[in-house]
Amino acid sequence: MDPHLAAVIEASYAAQTETARAEEEEEMLRQAMEISRKEEERRQNQALREQQEQELQESILMDQMREQEEKRRRVEEEEQRRAVEASQQAELQRQEEEERQRLEMHSAKLANVPPEPPADAPERVDLQIRGLDGTRARRRFLSSNTVGQVYDYLEVEGLLPLSSEETFQLVSTMPRKEYKDREETLAQAGLAGQCALMLERL
């Protein structure tokens, strides 16, 4: 073969081979880029799904927490309502019990107050008593009645409170004398005829 022709053929073949190799490399590069693009797209889709799943789980968790908080709030409100009702009921019962005791005490005091003797009854004692607020009461008793019955009369008439933490006593001023023993009769206490007494706090 003509050496020159052989060289031309060889150069043409080499050029074709180089072109083919370049095209093959370009195709391989294209395919690699496509694979890389698809892989990146797959990763993005996977990340998006994971993010959506996480957001869904967080939303469910928040809903559960809100539901639990609402349930807890309702339970607390119900407990508070019951506590208020129980307190109100207890206060009502306490007031009713106090009123019942007051009425019982009033009835007992009233039953212990002797009937007022007539103005001409022998051994009568005419008492004029000044209350704490200046109110005056006048009432006849018998000398056989007790000092305690005079106190009961004052409580029934409202000159003394039926129940109080304060204590009171009857006194005379001229001469001053205190009447503390409620078991004494008026005669034993030295009260006879017309007597002026007053209440004072202890």
Side-chain angles (χ1 to χ4, degrees):
M1 180 178 296
D2 184 355
H4 178 70
L5 179 59
V8 171
I9 293 173
E10 184 178 355
S12 175
Y13 176 76
Q16 290 178 1
T17 303
E18 187 69 25
T19 300
R21 189 181 300 115
E23 290 177 353
E24 184 178 354
E25 290 177 356
E26 184 179 346
E27 177 63 20
M28 290 177 62
L29 179 60
R30 187 189 63 78
Q31 291 179 359
M33 292 178 63
E34 180 67 18
I35 292 172
S36 176
R37 184 188 64 78
K38 290 183 178 180
E39 179 64 21
E40 178 63 24
E41 185 177 327
R42 185 191 65 78
R43 282 197 303 268
Q44 290 179 355
N45 290 337
Q46 179 67 22
L48 179 60
R49 284 195 297 270
E50 291 176 355
Q51 181 182 356
Q52 292 174 340
E53 180 66 22
Q54 182 179 356
E55 290 176 352
L56 177 60
Q57 293 299 324
E58 290 177 353
S59 177
I60 293 174
L61 180 60
M62 291 297 293
D63 289 342
Q64 291 175 345
M65 291 176 63
R66 280 193 294 267
E67 184 177 349
Q68 291 175 356
E69 177 65 20
E70 179 66 18
K71 183 177 180 181
R72 184 192 62 78
R73 185 186 62 78
R74 288 197 301 267
V75 169
E76 287 184 353
E77 288 179 352
E78 179 65 17
E79 290 176 351
Q80 290 176 356
R81 184 186 64 79
R82 290 180 180 178
V84 169
E85 288 181 354
S87 176
Q88 292 174 342
Q89 183 66 23
E91 176 64 17
L92 180 61
Q93 291 177 351
R94 185 189 66 78
Q95 292 176 357
E96 290 176 349
E97 178 63 18
E98 286 183 354
E99 179 65 13
R100 184 188 64 79
Q101 292 178 357
R102 190 190 69 79
L103 290 175
E104 287 181 355
M105 188 179 298
H106 184 273
S107 297
K109 299 288 184 182
L110 183 61
N112 198 43
V113 174
E116 186 173 15
D120 58 351
E123 298 185 356
R124 72 184 183 278
V125 181
D126 191 351
L127 297 181
Q128 182 172 310
I129 304 169
R130 182 164 63 88
L132 298 170
D133 59 354
T135 304
R136 295 182 182 274
R138 188 165 185 172
R139 203 336 179 129
R140 292 186 299 274
F141 291 85
L142 294 176
S143 59
S144 59
N145 295 144
T146 66
V147 173
Q149 287 177 309
V150 177
Y151 278 102
D152 290 341
Y153 163 75
L154 294 175
E155 290 180 351
V156 168
E157 291 299 312
L159 274 76
L160 274 177
L162 281 173
S163 58
S164 173
E165 295 181 357
E166 293 185 291
T167 53
F168 309 87
Q169 66 178 5
L170 282 168
V171 298
S172 58
T173 55
M174 293 185 297
R176 179 178 172 82
K177 183 177 180 180
E178 299 171 353
Y179 302 93
K180 297 180 179 180
D181 187 351
R182 299 194 179 199
E183 299 299 322
E184 279 189 334
T185 65
L186 300 186
Q188 290 171 336
L191 295 170
Q194 292 187 348
C195 303
L197 304 177
M198 61 183 294
L199 280 168
E200 68 177 17
R201 289 184 175 87
L202 291 177

